[in-house]
Amino acid sequence: QVQLQQSGPGLVEPSQTLSLTCAISGDSVSSNGPAWNWFRQSPSRGLEWLGRTYYRSKWYSNYALSVKSRIIINPDTGKNQVSLQLSSVTPDDTAVYYCARMPVVTHYSGMDVWGQGTTVTVSS
Amino acid sequence: QSVLTQPPSVSAAPGQKVTISCSGSSFNIGNNYVSWYQQLPGTAPKLLIYENNKRPSGIPDRFSGSKSDTSATLGVTGLQTGDEADYYCGTWDNSLNAAVFGFGTKVTVL
């Protein structure tokens, strides 16, 4: 079955770039079905969608307006993983970050597989 | 505040039924499928319902979903202590071009 394994640092200094990866097993990051999403969750923001990437003959990405100027979600076909980079972080970016798969991108079908979550604290 | 509105909490005795509402607009629920998630403390969300009323393999039929116009409802029958969790609704918002979620509803089994 499909599994997502997240990795990355749990502590990031203010103004630096948060970087996380999500390794995919049981599916391919470049298959023509799913979209690969990143979320975060905090008591103040709840569950917040950050963005996604997917392949349809070429790569597409779209991002939440709240982070659009600071976020990049990239596929890595060689390692079959997807990465999240969030730049210029502040303590307000402290949250648990999740990657998740949406099995089809033709319509909203829900996120059927989730990573285990990574707690990221922004602090000096 | 969230784009989708859920009650903060609901409760019922073991064996009883709870329903959780999720209210949105024509930009989101009114024109897209709704999904529901269960989140136990310290774990990732788990998909309970997709495409308004479908259950993934392994999800018991005690969980049900429905949608009408710009609102959706999750029902849980035969409530068990293991159902104590936070429940979230989610959908796509066409004006934001983004996935959106409610702030979650805490289910307590009395």
Side-chain angles (χ1 to χ4, degrees):
Chain A
Q1 78 271 26
V2 180
Q3 292 183 316
L4 304 178
Q5 181 68 37
Q6 298 177 218
S7 59
L11 180 64
V12 182
E13 292 189 358
S15 80
Q16 299 302 302
T17 297
L18 180 161
S19 296
L20 298 174
T21 59
C22 177
I24 302 162
S25 58
D27 199 349
S28 170
V29 69
S30 55
S31 60
N32 266 288
W36 306 96
N37 299 261
W38 283 96
F39 293 83
R40 64 183 177 185
Q41 187 174 33
S42 65
S44 60
R45 292 178 175 272
L47 186 59
E48 180 185 13
W49 178 82
L50 298 176
R52 65 179 182 177
T53 190
Y54 59 93
Y55 186 76
R56 288 291 178 280
S57 303
K58 67 176 185 177
W59 288 101
Y60 295 86
S61 296
N62 60 292
Y63 303 121
L65 288 175
S66 61
V67 294
K68 192 171 185 177
S69 63
R70 302 191 290 132
I71 190 172
I72 299 173
I73 295 176
N74 268 335
D76 183 336
T77 57
K79 295 182 178 179
N80 201 33
Q81 63 186 27
V82 59
S83 65
L84 167 70
Q85 293 183 70
L86 188 65
S87 62
S88 305
V89 296
T90 71
D92 193 46
D93 294 308
T94 294
V96 179
Y97 286 75
Y98 295 99
C99 60
R101 183 185 82 155
M102 190 164 78
V104 296
V105 78
T106 52
H107 60 276
Y108 180 80
S109 55
M111 313 293 163
D112 67 339
V113 183
W114 293 73
Q116 80 275 22
T118 303
T119 300
V120 178
T121 302
V122 178
S123 174
S124 54
Chain B
Q1 68 199 42
S2 295
V3 173
L4 306 180
T5 301
Q6 298 180 234
S9 63
V10 297
S11 61
Q16 297 301 301
K17 175 180 180 178
V18 294
T19 59
I20 301 171
S21 60
C22 176
S23 178
S25 73
S26 59
F27 293 117
N28 41 69
I29 292 178
N31 283 285
N32 290 288
Y33 288 115
V34 174
S35 58
W36 289 91
Y37 304 86
Q38 177 193 63
Q39 188 174 33
L40 298 169
T43 68
K46 174 183 178 181
L47 183 65
L48 283 181
I49 298 289
Y50 68 100
E51 294 179 3
N52 302 337
N53 54 19
K54 298 177 182 177
R55 283 176 286 105
S57 174
I59 301 300
D61 59 6
R62 300 187 299 108
F63 296 93
S64 64
S66 63
K67 188 185 102 166
S68 178
D69 295 328
T70 59
S71 293
T73 301
L74 174 72
V76 185
T77 59
L79 206 58
Q80 302 174 1
T81 55
D83 297 331
E84 283 202 334
D86 293 323
Y87 292 80
Y88 297 87
C89 58
T91 187
W92 191 261
D93 189 290
N94 296 334
S95 66
L96 298 173
N97 196 30
V100 292
F101 293 83
F103 217 79
T105 299
K106 184 175 184 59
V107 169
T108 301
V109 181
L110 300 172

